[in-house]
Amino acid sequence: MIEMEPFFSQMNFDENAMEGYEFHDIRRLEDLIGYYNEADTVITLEKGNPVIYEVYKRDVPKESGELLHCVTMINPGRVGSEYYMTKGHYHQDETCAEIYYGQKGHGRLVMQKGIKSRMVEMFPGTIAYIPAGWGHRTVNVSDSEPFVFFSIWPGHSGYDYERVAEEPFAKVEAE
Ligand code: PAN
Ligand code: ZN
């Protein structure tokens, strides 16, 4: 077990970023090929390769007892009729739950377990519980504002992105 020292991060609401991060992932449309309708993806890429979402993450040991946490910012926008969204994943360790805390904007948390699917509308202050075993993805349903949320999950969860292809999420189409 690695002995940790206490630490903190500072949310910068003007920049929609968590200051103090060790990792910053930028996901562009090219990283999400296969997630949206193919023709819409091609048409959108002809105009550029937009940033769909960004993740600011702290470096915490990937061990049971530790708590990974990050801030995700999803830009406003659509690919065809579908809003910008995260890839979505299941946790490799199916005993690992997660909490999402809405900070800015309007999003939807889509969850899936086998044939069951659930959706939670996320606003600033919404605290959503993703039970162990449920796949999860977030969607920004605003055309003008970024959607920003904070997440906390067990250090040993792991990610399973492939399973999203086998057990896809319900679609959230623009109205
Ligand atoms: C979140 C997600 C984050 C980015 O922190 O990892 O929002 O989404 P993808 O991982 O699906 O690209 C989380 O659920 N962590 O477990
Ligand atoms: Zn997760």
Side-chain angles (χ1 to χ4, degrees):
M1 206 179 108
I2 302 162
E3 195 174 321
M4 294 289 289
E5 288 290 323
F7 68 92
F8 72 96
S9 317
Q10 180 63 48
M11 186 60 203
N12 182 329
F13 287 102
D14 293 327
E15 304 285 334
N16 297 324
M18 181 173 70
E19 290 170 356
Y21 66 85
E22 281 86 14
F23 305 107
H24 181 203
D25 296 330
I26 301 179
R27 303 276 182 240
R28 292 176 177 274
L29 182 54
E30 266 186 359
D31 304 313
L32 276 90
I33 285 171
Y35 286 80
Y36 290 102
N37 172 281
E38 201 182 322
D40 292 331
T41 303
V42 171
I43 293 165
T44 308
L45 283 174
E46 277 166 6
K47 291 176 259 167
N49 184 16
V51 174
I52 308 290
Y53 63 102
E54 298 184 38
V55 183
Y56 300 89
K57 205 182 283 183
R58 297 307 313 248
D59 189 15
V60 172
K62 293 178 181 52
E63 291 174 5
S64 166
E66 301 292 347
L67 292 171
L68 285 162
H69 53 287
C70 74
V71 165
T72 306
M73 186 282 302
I74 311 177
N75 276 316
R78 304 179 191 192
V79 179
S81 63
E82 277 194 271
Y83 291 115
Y84 284 3
M85 63 188 182
T86 61
K87 290 182 172 184
H89 59 265
Y90 290 78
H91 290 159
Q92 239 155 27
D93 186 323
E94 292 191 27
T95 67
C96 293
E98 182 157 0
I99 285 174
Y100 279 8
Y101 174 52
Q103 292 185 310
K104 237 183 170 183
H106 178 198
R108 280 184 199 145
L109 164 61
V110 183
M111 291 168 281
Q112 188 85 27
K113 188 181 187 190
I115 56 160
K116 287 193 290 186
S117 69
R118 296 283 186 279
M119 184 136 77
V120 172
E121 296 280 345
M122 300 282 302
F123 296 99
T126 306
I127 300 163
Y129 187 77
I130 303 163
W134 286 74
H136 41 286
R137 158 180 290 160
T138 39
V139 183
N140 183 355
V141 293
S142 162
D143 281 313
S144 54
E145 301 286 333
F147 169 56
V148 185
F149 65 96
F150 177 69
S151 359
I152 316 172
W153 68 104
H156 64 294
S157 302
Y159 303 94
D160 185 348
Y161 288 96
E162 279 78 47
R163 205 169 130 198
V164 174
E166 293 152 33
E167 294 177 48
F169 297 97
K171 272 192 193 300
V172 180
E173 300 264 349
E175 278 128 30

